[in-house]
């Protein structure tokens, strides 16, 4: 195992797939503060990306854009929002899955075309971006960012003389991978979802306006009503005449990323008809059916492990209680501790609640394990707090393969589940027993009427993937 394992701060987010991005769009047929609506929509999607944020607003003549680094509260001032006037807007919160961390890579991307300005925001990753980018560069195009979203933006711009709807259609038929996009022109809002529906996109209604968003929780944040999910292989075009829908791909099957339900999405969202919180509680109930352990208390790794822990406690009859206290004032980054402080295993973000675990047999539940780097610290901290036994249960299958569709994923050599047996992982983590939810059990917690992308569990992906260059 990585020798650095004992030198990290106890922070469960170090042992997770990193969030992708979040997109939001609004179109109104009457005077409405679309910039503020987009701001609060993105605020609700902040968990999907904390690196940068951007908002573009159309007023019928031009598209104005503001972007900034950091959280949305850091990226925008009240003056910024007040300066963005119009009737339609799109927004984006970013976590870098491709490209460097710099303002040039922040979205939306704005292009000047023969049709006028076009802004685009994209959640997902293209697996053939490098090939298309090389062809465009050979044709003389200069790229200004290092993100694959610019490839789509340039394909749309190149075809703009055909009309925006045709340009978007031609562009998305040339790319492969995952994408949920919102596109803004001077007078239209367009939403696109990839043929497999890997990344989520839903539509909503508010008074005389329409909303497009990565998650339904953003609709709740602005008082909008969820209408439906955008289907895989669907384009929706919203303008002064209302909303139109096109199917650009006939061979579609919804294969939503399973990790949206396991970890990424906010628990108060509904994605492709499935309530995220309910699916996580059911995962905990199923986890009990597959891993029945005699213990005194069930605790969770906050916050993402809580619904599954509640489900396990409900199914088992073992009481659920708080096992860790979370410091909610620790930001995304903080001063790196010295070696001396690290060796003292200071729990900066989580600390065991000793009164609830001392002299007790504890079941600790997390939603997933990716690298395994923090799980050992969590178990060790419970033992130091006086737990007699610590049983670690995971409310998802073993992560064995990387993701290529919009998640910052380590190489396979960094995935603990790809390189160690269950018993070896148990020894590394230091728990008394270890159990994962089975693939069959996971499917029981989902909607049986659709498919899911589970490539990180079994190596079978909806789209052909690039070959890993490093193992």
């Amino acid at each position: 195992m990585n020798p650095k394992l004992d030198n990290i701060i106890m922070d469960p987010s170090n042992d997770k797939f990193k969030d992708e991005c979040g997109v939001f769009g609004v179109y109104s047929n009457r005077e409405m503060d679309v910039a503020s609506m987009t701001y609060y929509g993105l605020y609700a999607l902040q968990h999907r990306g904390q690196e940068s944020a951007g908002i573009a607003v159309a007023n019928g003549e031009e598209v104005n854009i503001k972007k900034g680094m950091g959280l949305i509260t850091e990226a925008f001032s009240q003056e910024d929002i007040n300066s963005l006037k119009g009737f339609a807007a799109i927004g984006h919160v970013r976590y870098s899955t491709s490209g460097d961390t710099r303002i040039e890579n922040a979205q939306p991307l704005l292009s000047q075309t023969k049709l006028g300005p076009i802004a685009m925001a994209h959640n997902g990753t293209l697996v053939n971006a490098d090939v298309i980018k090389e062809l465009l560069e050979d044709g003389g195009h200069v790229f200004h960012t290092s993100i694959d979203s610019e490839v789509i933006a340039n394909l749309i711009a190149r075809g703009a003389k055909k009309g925006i709807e045709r340009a978007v259609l031609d562009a998305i038929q040339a790319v492969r991978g995952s994408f949920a996009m919102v596109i803004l022109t001077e007078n239209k809002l367009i939403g696109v979802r990839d043929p497999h529906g890997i990344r989520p996109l839903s539509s909503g209604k508010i008074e005389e306006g329409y909303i497009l968003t990565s998650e339904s929780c953003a609709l709740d944040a602005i008082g909008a009503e969820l209408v439906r999910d955008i289907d895989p292989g669907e384009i929706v075009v919203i303008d002064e005449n209302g909303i139109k829908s096109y199917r650009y791909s006939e061979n579609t099957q919804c294969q939503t990323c399973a990790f949206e339900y396991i970890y990424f999405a906010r628990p108060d969202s509904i994605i492709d008809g499935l309530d995220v919180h309910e699916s996580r509680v059911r995962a905990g109930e199923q986890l009990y059916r597959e891993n029945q352990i005699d213990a005194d208390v069930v605790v969770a790794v906050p916050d993402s492990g809580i619904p599954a822990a509640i489900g396990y406690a409900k199914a088992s009859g073992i009481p659920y209680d708080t096992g860790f206290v979370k410091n909610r004032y620790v930001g995304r980054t903080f001063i790196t501790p010295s070696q001396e402080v690290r060796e003292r295993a200071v729990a900066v973000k989580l600390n065991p609640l000793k009164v609830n675990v001392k002299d007790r047999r504890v079941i600790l539940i997390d939603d997933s394990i990716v690298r395994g780097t923090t799980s050992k610290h969590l178990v060790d901290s419970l033992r130091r707090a006086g737990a007699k036994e610590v049983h670690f249960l995971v409310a998802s299958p073993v992560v064995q393969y990387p993701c290529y569709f919009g998640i910052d994923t380590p190489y396979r050599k960094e995935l603990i589940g790809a390189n160690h047996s269950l018993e070896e992982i148990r020894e590394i983590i230091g728990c008394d027993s270890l159990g994962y939810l089975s693939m069959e059990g996971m499917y029981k917690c989902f909607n049986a009427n659709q498919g899911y992308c589970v490539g990180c569990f079994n190596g079978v992906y909806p789209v052909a993937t690039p070959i890993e260059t490093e193992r």
Side-chain angles (χ1 to χ4, degrees):
M1 194 62 184
N2 192 329
K4 295 180 181 178
L5 180 128
D6 292 321
N7 291 330
I8 63 168
I9 296 253
M10 184 165 55
D11 174 11
S13 64
N14 288 331
D15 191 20
K16 302 294 182 187
F17 281 156
K18 296 302 181 184
D19 301 344
E20 324 102 81
C21 299
V23 299
F24 185 90
V26 55
Y27 185 100
S28 175
N29 282 318
R30 68 170 181 83
E31 190 70 26
M32 193 179 284
D33 188 356
V34 294
S36 290
M37 290 176 66
T38 304
Y39 177 92
Y40 287 110
L42 294 178
Y43 197 87
L45 298 174
Q46 187 75 84
H47 60 287
R48 299 186 72 86
Q50 301 91 43
E51 194 170 277
S52 64
I55 296 174
V57 174
N59 61 16
E61 297 178 358
E62 59 184 352
V63 174
N64 294 309
I65 192 167
K66 295 277 187 182
K67 296 190 279 190
M69 300 302 292
L71 300 175
I72 187 149
T73 51
E74 300 165 338
F76 292 96
S77 66
Q78 186 65 56
E79 290 73 24
D80 291 330
I81 299 300
N82 292 342
S83 70
L84 294 170
K85 300 294 186 183
F87 60 85
I90 62 171
H92 187 270
V93 287
R94 179 174 187 261
Y95 179 88
S96 61
T97 55
S98 66
D100 303 323
T101 302
R102 52 192 175 94
I103 190 63
E104 290 83 1
N105 287 337
Q107 296 186 44
L109 299 178
L110 181 62
S111 304
Q112 299 298 331
T113 75
K114 293 179 180 179
L115 277 182
I118 299 174
M120 188 203 74
H122 167 221
N123 168 212
T125 298
L126 307 181
V127 296
N128 65 340
D130 290 343
V131 174
I132 298 176
K133 185 175 182 180
E134 188 174 336
L135 291 171
L136 290 171
E137 287 175 332
D138 289 345
H141 187 84
V142 177
F143 281 79
H144 303 287
T145 76
S146 58
I147 57 175
D148 56 8
S149 304
E150 191 180 3
V151 169
I152 305 175
N154 282 304
L155 288 173
I156 295 172
R158 281 167 61 92
K161 60 186 177 183
K162 303 174 186 176
I164 183 61
E165 294 173 28
R166 185 72 214 182
V168 170
L169 180 62
D170 289 347
I172 60 178
Q173 288 183 326
V175 298
R176 299 287 180 271
S178 65
F179 47 89
M181 291 187 287
V182 287
I183 301 163
L184 184 68
T185 71
E186 295 162 314
N187 53 17
K188 294 181 191 290
L189 172 64
I190 300 172
V192 188
R193 196 174 180 194
D194 72 70
H196 299 279
I198 299 170
R199 302 266 72 87
L201 188 65
S202 59
S203 64
K205 191 82 172 66
I206 182 167
E207 297 172 7
E208 295 179 45
Y210 299 91
I211 310 292
L212 296 172
T213 179
S214 291
E215 291 185 39
S216 63
C217 63
L219 299 173
D220 298 331
I222 61 166
E225 177 187 355
L226 174 65
V227 175
R228 67 178 181 90
D229 295 283
I230 304 303
D231 290 331
E234 183 182 8
I235 302 174
V236 291
V237 180
I238 304 168
D239 58 21
E240 61 183 2
N241 298 314
I243 185 167
K244 294 183 295 185
S245 170
Y246 302 93
R247 297 300 174 95
Y248 67 87
S249 178
E250 294 180 0
N251 299 318
T252 63
Q253 180 194 5
C254 192
Q255 292 179 282
T256 315
C257 169
F259 252 89
E260 290 287 352
Y261 302 102
I262 293 166
Y263 175 66
F264 290 136
R266 254 177 51 164
D268 52 337
S269 287
I270 298 171
I271 295 177
D272 290 317
L274 182 58
D275 186 289
V276 173
H277 176 76
E278 284 187 3
S279 71
R280 292 174 183 173
V281 172
R282 286 201 295 267
E285 294 171 345
Q286 182 64 28
L287 197 58
Y288 170 71
R289 297 183 191 106
E290 299 179 8
N291 299 270
Q292 298 188 12
I293 296 171
D294 187 17
D296 302 309
V297 65
V298 178
V299 304
V301 178
D303 290 315
S304 56
I306 292 174
I310 291 171
Y312 190 97
K314 179 182 174 183
S316 66
I318 301 170
Y320 167 80
D321 214 331
T322 302
F324 290 94
V325 174
K326 185 176 182 179
N327 185 338
R328 301 185 185 279
Y329 297 93
V330 176
R332 292 162 295 133
T333 58
F334 42 83
I335 297 170
T336 303
S338 64
Q339 179 68 24
E340 178 187 359
V341 172
R342 280 200 299 262
E343 287 174 354
R344 292 179 181 273
V346 174
V348 176
K349 290 195 174 184
L350 291 180
N351 198 38
L353 190 56
K354 296 178 183 178
V355 69
N356 284 347
V357 299
K358 188 175 184 338
D359 298 325
R360 306 180 85 180
R361 298 166 298 170
V362 178
I363 297 174
L364 175 62
I365 295 183
D366 203 356
D367 63 278
S368 61
I369 298 178
V370 177
R371 295 174 178 85
T373 47
T374 58
S375 302
K376 178 181 186 298
H377 285 272
L378 294 169
V379 172
D380 287 348
S381 69
L382 287 175
R383 293 199 189 282
R384 286 196 300 271
K388 287 200 298 187
E389 297 174 8
V390 180
H391 303 273
F392 204 116
L393 297 180
V394 185
S396 63
V398 181
V399 174
Q400 300 187 72
Y401 299 89
C403 171
Y404 300 97
F405 303 117
I407 300 172
D408 177 39
T409 318
Y411 288 107
R412 197 173 181 209
K413 68 179 184 180
E414 297 178 42
L415 299 172
I416 191 171
N419 298 285
H420 298 280
S421 67
L422 201 65
E423 177 57 24
E424 288 171 340
I425 297 171
R426 187 199 66 75
E427 290 182 1
I428 291 167
I429 292 175
C431 52
D432 293 282
S433 68
L434 173 68
Y436 286 82
L437 186 66
S438 68
M439 286 284 287
E440 296 77 14
M442 180 186 69
Y443 280 121
K444 289 179 181 178
C445 305
F446 289 167
N447 185 343
N449 296 323
Q450 70 172 71
Y452 299 89
C453 178
V454 292
C456 56
F457 302 129
N458 63 7
V460 180
Y461 303 93
V463 183
T465 61
I467 299 172
E468 278 190 84
T469 56
E470 184 180 344
R471 293 285 175 179

